[in-house]
Amino acid sequence: MARDLETVIDRIDEIKKLYLVPPDGKVSLRKDYDPTHIPPGVRRALLKKRLEQGRELLAEFQDRLYAQDTYSVLIVFQALDAAGKDGTIEHVMSGVNPQGCDVFSFKAPSAQELNHDYLWRCAKVLPERGKIGIFNRSYYEEVLVARVHPAILDGQKLPPEFKDAKIWKRRFEEINNFERYLSHNGIVVLKFFLNVSKAEQKRRFLERIDRPEKNWKFSPADARERTFWKDYMQAYEDCFNHTSTRWAPWYVIPADDKPFMRVAVASIIVRALYDLKLSYPKVSKHRLAELQEIGRALGDE
């Protein structure tokens, strides 16, 4: 099993290198990350098997994570509409014990949330030790949607002197410091951008309109946001170049092919858990003797 696991880890490392945004580097979203990319040699017929393998490893590592009760994992998903965030979370995490995993979706801030700083609503639901927390959108909306639509800042009750041209640079620094703080406290931060192409988004939008069972998934607001595509690409690119760090890296995952996208995400999460060298707590000799005595008593019933 150990040898098989090492083979899996080697394969995962190849995926990581392809889609990692290098910390302290400079990338072009358009030039460096193709939404349709699938690595050479990937056999589509094996993707289902690879995903199942990834789910099994996730379940095993998550059980150790929960038992060890030292680390926690925060997984952040960002994407444009119809990129597949919900489906990825469902398919990748389906084998994980629900008691050890929490999912939070962040939409437009409520009145209560607007009475706090922009990190507050995410900070208050960070994963407990031993658990995996998933953010479907996150505090990154505050340097993405708020940047594409500056009028959003008007509702945030910020002091006027902090609504200047340097606000985005400050927020990048604040987020980096926040994530560094999390890492220093045992929270592993993984960030995924599901990179769907404009053509594939159009196809998925039309499918949602044409199929009655998917009508509920489509909103006119989705189509309106599509008109800001170029602005979003620039905002994401600037975000990656400022917030992909050694302690909280970004991964830009090709999202046009959903089966491969899910395998890639599962693989990177497995690698992060593997790196923690998780193990079950060892009981004392006294406790072990006590358990053996209880076992004998139960056997004699």
Side-chain angles (χ1 to χ4, degrees):
M1 176 61 185
R3 185 174 180 181
D4 291 342
L5 180 57
E6 291 301 324
T7 301
V8 171
I9 295 301
D10 288 343
R11 190 165 61 238
I12 289 172
D13 285 344
E14 295 175 8
I15 291 176
K16 279 188 63 176
K17 290 175 186 176
L18 285 171
Y19 306 125
L20 172 70
V21 177
D24 307 317
K26 199 81 172 175
V27 298
S28 166
L29 193 54
R30 181 177 62 84
K31 294 179 182 178
D32 298 328
Y33 300 98
D34 179 1
T36 68
H37 182 261
I38 295 179
V42 169
R43 295 168 59 186
R44 293 190 55 81
L46 291 179
L47 287 178
K48 185 176 180 180
K49 179 181 177 181
R50 294 281 181 256
L51 182 59
E52 184 57 37
Q53 186 178 44
R55 283 197 293 241
E56 290 175 0
L57 287 170
L58 270 177
E60 178 183 340
F61 287 145
Q62 186 259 337
D63 195 52
R64 296 183 192 180
L65 179 78
Y66 190 82
Q68 188 171 325
D69 199 29
T70 301
Y71 296 98
S72 60
V73 178
L74 173 63
I75 303 170
V76 173
F77 285 102
Q78 290 289 153
L80 296 177
D81 296 312
K85 296 189 304 302
D86 293 343
T88 299
I89 294 169
E90 177 185 354
H91 284 80
V92 171
M93 308 306 294
S94 62
V96 171
N97 187 334
Q99 289 185 319
C101 182
D102 296 310
V103 180
F104 297 94
S105 297
F106 297 97
K107 301 185 184 298
S110 66
Q112 182 193 31
E113 290 166 345
L114 287 172
N115 275 327
H116 291 270
D117 63 275
Y118 70 92
L119 289 172
W120 178 80
R121 66 174 181 163
C122 293
K124 70 188 182 78
V125 292
L126 288 168
E128 304 168 27
R129 297 193 188 280
K131 299 188 76 171
I132 296 174
I134 298 174
F135 285 179
N136 186 340
R137 302 190 189 276
S138 66
Y139 43 86
Y140 278 99
E141 295 290 281
E142 301 299 333
V143 293
L144 297 168
V145 179
R147 190 167 188 177
V148 173
H149 301 289
I152 289 174
L153 294 176
D154 295 337
Q156 293 192 346
K157 305 180 183 180
L158 290 171
E161 63 268 27
F162 293 115
K163 292 183 180 180
D164 60 2
K166 296 181 180 179
I167 185 171
W168 310 117
K169 182 180 179 181
R170 280 197 303 273
R171 286 191 171 183
F172 290 147
E173 292 174 353
E174 290 158 1
I175 288 171
N176 286 341
N177 290 335
F178 175 65
E179 292 175 342
R180 186 193 286 268
Y181 165 80
L182 298 183
S183 71
H184 288 171
N185 283 273
I187 301 178
V188 177
V189 182
L190 298 173
K191 302 177 299 196
F192 296 99
F193 173 61
L194 305 184
N195 186 26
V196 69
S197 69
K198 193 173 185 181
E200 178 62 14
Q201 186 196 59
K202 176 183 176 180
R203 189 192 69 78
R204 293 178 188 177
F205 278 175
L206 290 172
E207 182 182 39
R208 291 180 179 184
I209 292 170
D210 293 340
R211 294 176 59 179
E213 72 274 17
K214 291 197 173 187
N215 287 169
W216 65 274
K217 279 188 160 186
F218 187 77
S219 164
D222 296 340
R224 287 196 296 271
E225 287 300 282
R226 183 175 164 83
T227 65
F228 296 95
W229 185 276
K230 184 177 179 180
D231 297 323
Y232 273 112
M233 292 298 101
Q234 291 175 344
Y236 268 108
E237 185 175 297
D238 200 32
C239 174
F240 298 150
N241 285 327
H242 284 90
T243 63
S244 190
T245 59
R246 294 183 303 279
W247 55 89
W250 274 105
Y251 295 93
V252 178
I253 308 296
D256 278 21
D257 187 286
K258 288 183 179 181
F260 175 72
M261 171 182 67
R262 293 163 183 164
V263 169
V265 169
S267 299
I268 292 168
I269 299 171
V270 164
R271 185 55 158 116
L273 290 168
Y274 173 83
D275 287 343
L276 294 178
K277 304 187 186 313
L278 300 165
S279 61
Y280 293 105
K282 293 183 178 180
V283 299
S284 66
K285 291 182 179 180
H286 174 76
R287 177 61 174 160
L288 183 59
E290 185 180 40
L291 291 174
Q292 290 171 343
E293 180 63 29
I294 294 172
R296 283 192 291 271
L298 290 171
D300 292 338
E301 283 185 358

